[in-house]
Amino acid sequence: MIYSLLQPTVAAIEAGKDICLANKETLIAGGPFVLPPAHKHQVKILPADSEHSAIFQCIQGLPEGALRRIILTASGGAFRDWPVEKLKDVKVADAVKHPNWNMGKKITVDSATLFNEVLEVIEAHYLYGATYDNIEIVIHPQSIIHSMVETQDSSILAQLGWPDMLLPILYTMSWPDRIYCSEITWPRLDLCKLGSLTFKAPDNVKYPSMELAYAAGRAGGTMTGVLSAANEKAVEMFINDQIGYLDIFKVVELTCNKHQAESVSSPSLEEIVHYDLWARDYAETLQFSAGLKPALV
């Protein structure tokens, strides 16, 4: 899968084509491989994901060096209001019920574990050059503010909109222009009818993915791709009733720990592909071969 993403992306970059990026894996696994040719050929990578489109919109017109901090917003997922002690009893049916919208099972589980957002932290690092100390996550249950940036003078700029992918995709495809949309095409956001917009800090105990992802991001190289691949495999096993919900975090942690001795800081395409496949295979070994929701080995 990673090869099929990275190889055509780099070929397009070498042909001088700007990239409208609609997936996380290209930069999370392949950032060290994709960004050097993008810089060499002066190709722009334009994000279509809602959070990164929001950041991209907020930084338009900012002078170089004006960005101080990136603030990624997260809905908090299916368990944002659950006490931590209840998470051991989570069923697949619980995890795939998003409080704000209907999505596929994998991304809905990622929203519940916060892996969707912490992977975006890594993506933000590669897209905007921000250090991990200057990328934060806040829980925003209403999902109206899609992300924010803080400038050097402490101003905070935000992009607001309905939780829908149409606008980010439209902006990515039309940038640097903005295309007129009628209210029939895209209903306006009536701030007076929204009521309150609220925020809270994510709970590190409820979301162990935060510590795992920030550590992987700071390690860099192949570690971020291993994190992503291990999470993908762990979520697949959870959805298939092969491991429990909390085991998702343990599978990712054990896989990343195992990879530390072999991590490559400036990987080739072949090394990225190799460790992506390795992480999936290793993650799959971290379960018993029989029984539903077994404990980890």
Side-chain angles (χ1 to χ4, degrees), residues 54-260:
I55 296 164
F56 185 65
Q57 292 180 60
C58 288
I59 66 174
Q60 298 305 298
L62 290 183
E64 186 175 352
L67 179 64
R68 175 189 287 180
R69 182 169 56 121
I70 289 173
I71 306 166
L72 291 161
T73 56
S75 69
F79 309 126
R80 68 188 180 203
D81 299 319
W82 283 40
V84 171
E85 55 270 18
K86 263 191 78 176
L87 295 181
K88 67 182 186 301
D89 302 319
V90 162
K91 309 295 183 186
V92 175
D94 301 320
V96 297
K97 292 179 182 176
H98 196 282
N100 293 3
W101 51 73
N102 294 320
M103 302 181 292
K105 288 184 178 180
K106 197 273 181 180
I107 194 169
T108 306
V109 174
D110 278 351
S111 182
T113 61
L114 214 70
F115 263 111
N116 187 55
E117 285 69 29
V118 295
L119 290 173
E120 287 170 351
V121 168
I122 297 169
E123 193 179 4
H125 166 74
Y126 283 123
L127 277 170
Y128 306 112
T131 66
Y132 287 100
D133 290 339
N134 292 322
I135 307 172
E136 298 180 14
I137 296 173
V138 298
I139 303 297
H140 171 50
Q142 296 80 19
S143 298
I144 294 297
I145 295 178
H146 298 298
S147 278
M148 299 171 272
V149 301
E150 181 184 13
T151 59
Q152 293 291 356
D153 61 3
S154 300
S155 292
I156 292 182
L157 311 178
Q159 187 266 329
L160 286 70
W162 295 117
D164 192 296
M165 287 301 298
L166 292 176
L167 186 58
I169 293 170
L170 175 65
Y171 184 70
T172 300
M173 299 294 289
S174 63
W175 180 87
D177 299 320
R178 286 191 181 266
I179 295 176
Y180 171 77
C181 292
S182 71
E183 288 197 59
I184 296 173
T185 305
W186 190 254
R188 290 182 177 178
L189 191 66
D190 189 333
L191 296 177
C192 294
K193 291 181 179 179
L194 283 176
S196 61
L197 300 178
T198 60
F199 309 91
K200 64 178 180 179
D203 183 343
N204 286 324
V205 177
K206 181 179 288 188
Y207 303 114
S209 50
M210 292 187 60
E211 184 176 347
L212 293 171
Y214 274 90
R218 290 185 171 102
T222 51
M223 186 62 78
T224 52
V226 164
L227 174 93
S228 178
N231 173 65
E232 190 169 325
K233 189 64 184 180
V235 171
E236 177 188 314
M237 293 191 294
F238 167 67
I239 291 172
N240 291 336
D241 283 325
Q242 294 171 299
I243 62 173
Y245 175 77
L246 293 177
D247 290 335
I248 294 172
F249 305 107
K250 185 57 66 175
V251 165
V252 175
E253 180 183 10
L254 293 173
T255 305
C256 289
N257 287 347
K258 183 70 172 179
H259 181 58
Q260 283 181 348

Side-chain angles (χ1 to χ4, degrees), residues 20-76:
C20 294
L21 190 62
N23 69 82
K24 296 178 177 63
E25 292 80 9
T26 293
L27 290 181
I28 291 169
F33 177 73
V34 170
L35 291 181
H39 293 150
K40 176 182 177 181
H41 295 281
Q42 297 183 323
V43 161
K44 295 188 180 300
I45 298 179
L46 307 171
D49 193 25
S50 61
E51 290 84 359
H52 288 104
S53 175
I55 296 164
F56 185 65
Q57 292 180 60
C58 288
I59 66 174
Q60 298 305 298
L62 290 183
E64 186 175 352
L67 179 64
R68 175 189 287 180
R69 182 169 56 121
I70 289 173
I71 306 166
L72 291 161
T73 56
S75 69

